[in-house]
Amino acid sequence: MVQFADEAVITVSSGKGGNGCISFRREKYIPLGGPSGGDGGKGGDVYFVVKRNMRTLSKLRRRPIVKAKNGTDGMSWGKYGAAGEDLVVPVPPGTTLRDAETGELLVDFTTQGEDEKFLLLKGGNGGWGNIHFKSSTNQAPRIANKGEPGQTKKIRVELSVMADVGLVGFPNAGKSSLLTAFTNARPKVAPYPFTTKIPNLGVLRVDDERDIIIADIPGIIEGASEGVGLGFKFLKHISRTQCLLFIIDASDENYLTAYDTLVNEVSSYSEELAKKPRMVMCNKIDVEGALERAREIKEKIHAADKSVPVLSVSVMNNTGMKALKSAIIELADKSEIQAGAAQKDVGGSSAFMAERESIDDDAEIQYPGSEN
C-alpha cells in the first residue's frame, strides 16, 4: 500500500559538461593537418513537470538523490561529445518546491498545465576543443576547455492535499469511519486517539460524470496551531480544500466547546482557511444521551451563525448518512461556484477545478489510503 507522502527533501544535480578534446589530424600525405579536437557535450538539465495522475510524493522519498546525465567528452576528427540526457521529475498537482536551506519558494505547481515543464537547474556547457583555438599565430594549439560543472541544489518538495472537502475534528471523532462509509478509502480505524497519522484521501462518487475528493486530516488537538501534537503538521493539508466539514463527537464530555476550539485552531493557523464554507456533523448519536447533546450543539452554533449547516448522524449505525451525503454534495457545489467566481474576479479560471476536471476516469490515479 502506497502511503501518503506530504513532503520529501531531495538533492538534485544537473549534468556536468563534457571536456573539450586536444587532438591533431594525422593522415597520410598531410603531415601538418592541424587541430581536430571536438567540443564536449552539454550536461543534462533538470526539469519538474506536473502529472495529473500522481497523488503522492512516495517515489521521491525513495530517491533522495537525483541527477541528470553528464555530457560526454569531445573526440578527435572534430567530433563533438553527446549532450547529457535531461532529467524530468514528475510531481502531483499542488506541489511546491522550496530551497531546503533558505525556505525560498522556487515554484508552486497550482497553475501549470499538464506536461508543462519548469526548468530548475541548467546543465553545464561543454568545453571547447582545440579546434576553436587555431589562429594565424598559433596553428597547433595544445589547449582545450574543461566542461562546466553542473548545478546542485537541495530542495524540499511539499504537497498540499487538493480535495473538495477537508474533515476537521479531534482524534477519534469518527473522521476515518466516515471516509470508510462514503468512499473507497480504507484508512486505519481503531478505538484510540491518533489512529490517523497520515492524511487519507477518498473519492465520493456523485454520479457517472462527477466525484468529490474527501481528505481525512489527522486529529487536531488544542494548541495545534502552536505546534502541539500531530494536528499542526497537517493543518497545511487542508489549506487547498474547497470547504471544511467539522466533526464533533456528541458523546464526548467536551461536546459543547469542541466546535469553538476547532475553529480557533484553524483560525490561528490561517484566517483564509477559516473563511472557507463549512458545515458541522455531530457524530455518535447512537450513544445514550448523545442525540440531545447534538441538539444543544446545533442551538449553540446557530445562535452565533445560522448559515452553518449542522447535522446529527451515527456513522456506526448509518443513521442520517443519506442526508449528510446530500449536504456534503451541496456544500461542495456551493464552494466550487464561489471558487470559480473568485478566480474570475481576478481575471483567471479556477486552477484547482481545472486540475480536477482534467482527471480521466480511465487514468491510473494514486489516491492515498485507497490503494489495494
Side-chain angles (χ1 to χ4, degrees), residues 144-335:
N145 289 340
K146 290 184 177 180
E148 293 182 352
Q151 299 173 296
T152 298
K153 184 180 288 289
K154 193 173 185 179
I155 63 172
R156 181 179 300 277
V157 187
E158 298 179 345
L159 173 63
S160 292
V161 172
M162 298 178 69
D164 298 293
V165 182
L167 307 183
V168 183
F170 288 118
N172 214 24
K175 301 188 302 300
S176 296
S177 298
L178 178 66
L179 200 69
T180 300
F182 272 165
T183 76
N184 58 350
R186 292 296 177 265
K188 184 178 180 181
V189 179
Y192 52 82
F194 294 119
T195 304
T196 304
K197 295 184 179 180
I198 57 172
N200 290 297
L201 293 184
V203 182
L204 173 62
R205 179 64 63 179
V206 177
D207 50 43
D208 291 338
E209 297 183 355
R210 184 173 176 233
D211 55 30
I212 291 175
I213 299 178
I214 300 178
D216 171 21
I217 311 301
I220 295 175
I221 64 175
E222 191 167 4
S225 60
E226 299 174 358
V228 179
L230 292 174
F232 172 75
K233 183 177 181 181
F234 295 108
L235 270 171
K236 62 184 177 182
H237 293 301
I238 55 177
S239 62
R240 285 193 177 126
T241 54
Q242 292 292 294
C243 55
L244 305 178
L245 172 57
F246 288 81
I247 300 180
I248 299 175
D249 182 356
S251 68
D252 188 79
E253 60 182 11
N254 297 319
Y255 68 99
L256 271 182
T257 60
Y259 177 70
D260 290 337
T261 303
L262 290 171
V263 171
N264 288 338
E265 292 304 322
V266 172
S267 300
S268 298
Y269 178 78
S270 169
E271 286 292 341
E272 290 299 318
L273 184 58
K275 294 177 183 177
K276 292 181 181 290
R278 70 179 72 157
M279 64 182 295
V280 178
M281 177 191 112
C282 299
N283 191 24
K284 303 184 183 181
I285 61 172
D286 56 296
V287 179
E288 185 178 354
L291 182 58
E292 185 59 37
R293 290 181 171 186
R295 294 193 184 103
E296 293 180 43
I297 295 171
K298 183 176 181 178
E299 290 175 2
K300 180 180 179 181
I301 293 175
H302 281 180
D305 188 353
K306 290 186 177 181
S307 66
V308 178
V310 182
L311 289 87
S312 302
V313 305
S314 169
V315 178
M316 183 70 68
N317 291 350
N318 201 35
T319 304
M321 296 293 282
K322 186 175 181 180
L324 177 62
K325 179 178 179 179
S326 298
I328 290 176
I329 294 172
E330 182 179 348
L331 182 66
D333 289 340
K334 177 183 176 182
S335 304

Side-chain angles (χ1 to χ4, degrees), residues 94-100 102-110 118 120 153 155-156 158 240:
T95 300
T96 56
L97 305 184
R98 294 182 180 275
D99 189 300
T102 66
E104 176 191 359
L105 178 65
L106 303 176
V107 62
D108 188 340
F109 288 105
T110 54
F118 169 75
L120 179 69
K153 184 180 288 289
I155 63 172
R156 181 179 300 277
E158 298 179 345
R240 285 193 177 126

Side-chain angles (χ1 to χ4, degrees), residues 351-366:
F352 173 87
M353 292 312 300
E355 291 290 354
R356 288 282 292 105
E357 291 168 358
S358 70
I359 294 178
D360 183 354
D361 288 339
D362 296 328
E364 182 181 349
I365 302 176
Q366 301 172 357

